[in-house]
Amino acid sequence: MVKVIREADFGQAEECALAVLDFSATWCGPCKMLAPVLEKLSEEMKGKAEFFKVDVDENPNLAVRFAIQSIPALIFLKNGKEVGREIGFKPEAALRSTLESFLG
Amino acid sequence: MTRYDVAIIGTGPAGLEAALTVKARNKSVLLIGPADLSAKVRKAHTIQNYLGLPNVSGREMQEAFLKHLESSEIKITDEQAKNIYAMGDYFAIQTGGADAMYEAETLILATGLPQTKGLPGEDLFLGKGVSYCATCDAALYRGKKAAVVGYAPKEEDEANFLAELAGEVLYFPQYAGEVRTVPAVKVIREKPVEILGDRSVRALKTDGGEYEADGIFILRETIAPDKLVPGLEIEADRVKVTPQTETNIPGCFAAGDIAGPPYQYIKAAGQGNAAALAAVRYLAAKRKQ
């Protein structure tokens, strides 16, 4: 499952061993396309990675903090520290191997 | 939403021949590209070695091709594919804002070679302020400063659209002739030379000066294939294909100049035919499963 997260409870994501932050917005086409791919991967990686959706319009401070310029943007956090990011839509297989590289 | 059997991107000889072949095989086809055909066809001076059309001019070739399409009842969707998503089971093709979406089970890329090389800094800042689709990313620049580099008059609409949201829009037309933008858009007739920034875009450098911008929109007739289809494998700026025109993405094929040399009209048409047949075979195998 991909959880919706806000600034107030962002600590949740920072505590995870591996968190995937999906910076997106309701009006963004590529984000809409990426959502089902992330949903599927989140089920596959249950217990290994937590997935969070961050709406950039509702959480402008988080968007600034992570210097988000284009969405969708995926940010990977390991214990709160950014270890990588992917900008734009990515096919399922490509994202799976990126995630596996962080789990490795 | 209608899901087409085959979507073909590009209206040069490769795309057109692919469309004719798909149609002849009784599959539904979506053909996206300029309705007056690719610039490389309509602007050609003379083509000497096209079978059946000796010493044909670009104009004559355009006319002959359009007539052939008409007789096969194939319509061109006169739009530009901005983003294509490999969803696994199908391809989603975006031509404008979030609602301008098409779906197809297979995809044939036949968009030709990019006319211009990317600007220094373009790759580096793609997604960090550089974008190829104003209608897709406009809302990120609400109240901010945007620069738009337009390579054709139709991009003026994108600049106008941006002006509704952005604080300031600078428009750099890369073509001659009158520019019809809304008054809020500032037109600057200079040539971009580099994109400057550090973590994200800071400014557009031109042959006339430096212009600060939060976002830079580069709108060309052809989008580089790996930008158009994220995840597509590229080799020396061309899409990597097998002799059967398959790319690394299942169900996605490429034909014509985009798939590498020789850059010949007749080769493009022949490869378009091969791609169409490969797509039809792929569909048959998929449906058997």
Side-chain angles (χ1 to χ4, degrees):
Chain A
M1 197 185 67
V2 180
K3 274 194 225 164
V4 173
I5 197 170
R6 292 168 179 277
E7 269 161 44
D9 45 32
F10 190 68
Q12 270 185 56
E14 289 174 305
E15 285 162 14
C16 295
L18 178 60
V20 182
L21 307 176
D22 168 26
F23 284 86
S24 52
T26 51
W27 47 264
C28 151
C31 306
K32 258 180 229 163
M33 307 313 292
L34 193 58
V37 176
L38 293 174
E39 199 62 52
K40 192 172 168 206
L41 287 171
S42 74
E43 293 303 324
E44 267 182 49
M45 307 228 164
K46 226 175 200 161
K48 294 182 193 161
E50 297 287 324
F51 287 66
F52 300 95
K53 183 193 272 295
V54 184
D55 187 306
V56 292
D57 290 327
E58 287 171 12
N59 303 281
N61 292 335
L62 284 178
V64 169
R65 177 175 152 193
F66 286 95
I68 304 299
Q69 295 273 334
S70 180
I71 53 173
L74 294 180
I75 299 211
F76 305 98
L77 298 182
K78 262 186 157 173
N79 302 308
K81 193 170 167 271
E82 180 175 338
V83 289
R85 59 170 68 193
E86 292 278 358
I87 312 284
F89 179 89
K90 299 281 178 244
E92 186 185 302
L95 278 180
R96 188 180 291 112
S97 61
T98 304
L99 277 163
E100 279 165 356
S101 74
F102 294 131
L103 289 169
Chain B
M1 191 185 290
T2 316
R3 189 172 292 178
Y4 293 89
D5 292 322
V6 186
I8 299 165
I9 317 299
T11 52
L16 301 181
E17 178 60 39
L20 288 168
T21 306
V22 168
K23 183 83 196 259
R25 292 299 171 115
N26 227 2
K27 301 288 176 211
S28 62
V29 60
L30 171 71
L31 177 60
I32 299 179
D36 59 354
L37 306 190
S38 83
K40 207 175 164 189
V41 169
R42 68 187 132 87
K43 289 184 182 164
H45 180 59
T46 333
I47 299 132
Q48 301 192 334
N49 63 344
Y50 201 94
L51 184 67
L53 297 171
N55 292 317
V56 69
S57 73
R59 284 272 165 223
E60 289 162 343
M61 185 178 245
Q62 177 193 31
E63 211 172 286
F65 284 179
L66 286 172
K67 210 183 249 175
H68 198 163
L69 283 192
E70 205 188 318
S71 72
S72 297
E73 294 176 347
I74 294 168
K75 285 205 172 64
I76 294 173
T77 301
D78 193 2
E79 292 173 28
Q80 186 186 22
K82 295 284 192 183
N83 296 296
I84 300 176
Y85 307 107
M87 300 300 291
D89 257 8
Y90 69 99
F91 293 88
I93 300 145
Q94 186 183 27
T95 57
D99 300 330
M101 282 278 186
Y102 298 97
E103 291 183 1
E105 273 190 72
T106 60
L107 176 73
I108 297 175
L109 296 170
T111 53
L113 290 177
Q115 304 286 307
T116 42
K117 272 204 183 310
L119 296 169
E122 187 175 319
D123 268 7
L124 189 62
F125 296 114
L126 181 61
K128 295 174 188 162
V130 170
S131 167
Y132 297 130
C133 181
T135 45
C136 308
D137 286 341
L140 278 171
Y141 298 94
R142 195 171 278 132
K144 294 188 177 173
K145 204 164 168 179
V148 181
V149 183
Y151 287 83
K154 70 179 167 68
E155 314 301 1
E156 291 159 18
D157 293 342
E158 300 258 319
N160 291 341
F161 177 81
L162 258 179
E164 290 174 21
L165 287 162
E168 191 179 353
V169 177
L170 308 178
Y171 186 65
F172 298 83
Q174 302 302 305
Y175 49 88
E178 203 184 332
V179 171
R180 292 165 212 266
T181 44
V182 296
V185 174
K186 194 173 165 198
V187 177
I188 302 169
R189 288 203 177 267
E190 289 172 15
K191 199 172 166 277
V193 293
E194 195 181 346
I195 289 158
L196 307 173
D198 9 271
R199 280 195 61 162
S200 58
V201 158
R202 181 173 55 79
L204 178 68
K205 189 179 173 185
T206 68
D207 55 1
E210 248 181 63
Y211 299 89
E212 283 197 12
D214 301 297
I216 299 177
F217 295 86
I218 302 171
L219 310 175
R220 299 193 180 93
E221 191 168 14
T222 311
I223 298 172
D226 55 332
K227 311 284 190 318
L228 184 62
V229 189
L232 190 67
E233 201 178 330
I234 300 293
E235 197 174 55
D237 289 343
R238 311 289 168 259
V239 179
K240 201 174 163 189
V241 290
T242 65
Q244 287 76 42
T245 76
E246 299 151 313
T247 69
N248 68 311
I249 298 175
C252 176
F253 306 85
D257 289 357
I258 195 177
Y263 304 128
Q264 295 272 316
Y265 293 85
I266 195 81
K267 172 264 180 182
Q271 204 171 20
N273 169 267
L277 295 173
V280 170
R281 266 200 310 277
Y282 176 89
L283 282 169
K286 195 176 152 201
R287 283 166 192 176
K288 227 188 218 172
Q289 279 173 8

